[in-house]
Amino acid sequence: MIHVRVMKAKNPEEMGKLAADQFEAMIQTKPACVIGLATGSTPLPLYRELIKREQEGKIDFSRVRSANLDEYKGLGPDHPQSYRKFMQENLFDHISIKPENTIVPDGLAEDVQQMCAAYEQKIEEWGGVDLQLLGIGHDGHIGFNEPEDYFPGMTHEVQLTEMTIDANKRFFDSVDDVPRAAFTMGIGTIMAAKKIVMVVTGADKKEILHKTFWGPVDPQVPASILQFHQDVTLICDEAAYPL
Ligand code: F6R
C-alpha cells in the first residue's frame, strides 16, 4: 500500500461529514475549483451535508465547476435513472452552482468519439480536476471502468458487466431496463485529478477495498491503480474498513 490516507467514520453520516470537510477546504482555498463527482448510493450523505453547509453559509458553490464521472448510454437528461437527473435531484438543484458549470457525459451522443474528446477538452480548459470524488463497485470499478486486461485511458464507451448491471438494477423497474453500455471518464482522466477522495460504506465493500489498496495493482481490479496516485484519501465507515 502506498500513499493512501485512511479516515475511518463510525457510519455513513459521519463519512458524509468527513468527505464534506475535504470539499469545504478545497472550495475555501480555491472558490472556482473543479470538482469531479460520482453518483450511486454512497455519496448521498455527502451531498446532503454539502447542501446543508451551503445553506449555513459555510460553502459557496457559485464559482465551482463540476465534471461527473459517467452516464448511461441512451439515457437523456430527463430520464429518471440518468446520472444527470440524479445529480440535479440530489445536489445541483439545491446549491448555487451554475448549470453551465456542471458537465455530465451526454448519454444521447451520436458521435461518441467526438463527445468523449470534447469532454476531456472541457476538463482541460478548466485546468483539470482539483478534487475527484470516487465510489467503488464490488468488482473494483471506478466510474464505469470495469475489470479489463489494461487500464483504459480517457473518456470512452464501455459495456457494463453482469455484476454491475445486477448491482444497479435496484434503481430500475426491472433488470432488462438497465442500459448495457455507458460513457465514463477513463482511468487516465481519473488519475490526472490533483486530489482524490474515495468514499466507501458497508460490509459488502470490505473485501474489494482490501484488494484495492492492499493487493497488487491489477487492471482486473481497476481501482487498484489508485495506489500509484500521490494524493488519495479513503473515507470509509467501520463496516467497510478493510483491516
Ligand atoms: C457512479 C460511479 C460508480 C459508483 C459505484 C458504487 O458515478 O462512478 O463507480 O461509485 O458503482 O456505487 P454505490 O455507491 O451505489 O455502491
Side-chain angles (χ1 to χ4, degrees):
M1 184 199 44
I2 331 167
H3 296 312
V4 64
R5 187 180 305 116
V6 186
M7 298 175 85
K8 191 160 59 159
K10 281 191 211 70
N11 49 46
E13 289 318 302
E14 198 191 18
M15 175 283 292
K17 290 193 175 118
L18 292 173
D21 290 345
Q22 304 282 325
F23 280 84
E24 186 177 324
M26 173 58 73
I27 297 166
Q28 270 172 8
T29 344
K30 192 173 175 186
C33 62
V34 178
I35 54 178
L37 296 176
T39 62
S41 307
T42 317
L44 289 173
L46 161 65
Y47 292 160
R48 285 196 289 271
E49 184 66 22
L50 289 176
I51 293 166
K52 182 164 160 261
R53 289 193 192 185
E54 183 165 68
Q55 284 164 355
E56 291 168 353
K58 293 182 182 149
I59 306 187
D60 175 8
F61 279 96
S62 61
R63 295 177 61 201
V64 172
R65 282 85 54 88
S66 77
N68 260 78
L69 280 166
D70 43 16
E71 178 60 281
Y72 285 117
K73 183 176 183 176
L75 301 196
D78 292 326
H79 189 286
Q81 265 72 45
S82 75
Y83 283 177
R84 161 57 78 176
K85 188 85 175 167
F86 176 99
M87 290 311 300
Q88 292 302 137
E89 285 178 348
N90 291 296
L91 186 64
F92 299 154
D93 287 349
H94 312 286
I95 58 174
S96 67
I97 198 162
K98 295 191 174 71
E100 65 272 24
N101 284 344
T102 67
I103 57 169
V104 179
D106 177 6
L108 298 179
E110 281 175 16
D111 186 341
V112 170
Q113 294 246 26
Q114 194 275 334
M115 184 276 288
C116 292
Y119 203 70
E120 290 287 331
Q121 204 185 330
K122 186 74 187 173
I123 293 171
E124 210 179 299
E125 263 170 38
W126 279 351
V129 173
D130 294 297
L131 175 55
Q132 176 69 54
L133 176 69
L134 295 177
I136 189 171
H138 294 104
D139 57 2
H141 70 236
I142 45 177
F144 267 134
N145 294 282
E146 300 279 24
E148 281 279 5
D149 296 336
Y150 59 92
F151 290 108
M154 299 300 152
T155 302
H156 62 292
E157 179 174 342
V158 281
Q159 303 307 308
L160 303 183
T161 61
E162 286 306 318
M163 190 192 264
T164 299
I165 291 167
D166 196 60
N168 289 3
K169 73 175 184 222
R170 66 192 196 275
F171 299 112
F172 291 82
D173 289 340
S174 90
V175 68
D176 295 331
D177 294 331
V178 186
R180 266 42 190 171
F183 304 123
T184 181
M185 282 185 190
I187 294 288
T189 329
I190 293 169
M191 289 295 281
K194 289 160 206 142
K195 189 176 172 59
I196 293 178
V197 168
M198 174 177 267
V199 290
V200 190
T201 52
D204 55 314
K205 297 278 177 70
K206 192 183 179 99
E207 192 184 331
I208 191 63
L209 204 47
H210 191 269
K211 275 193 190 160
T212 294
F213 290 105
W214 283 266
V217 174
D218 178 349
Q220 292 296 335
V221 182
S224 64
I225 192 84
L226 297 174
Q227 293 183 36
F228 288 153
H229 195 281
Q230 296 295 316
D231 191 347
V232 180
T233 304
L234 166 65
I235 307 179
C236 60
D237 68 353
E238 277 169 9
Y241 189 66
L243 288 180

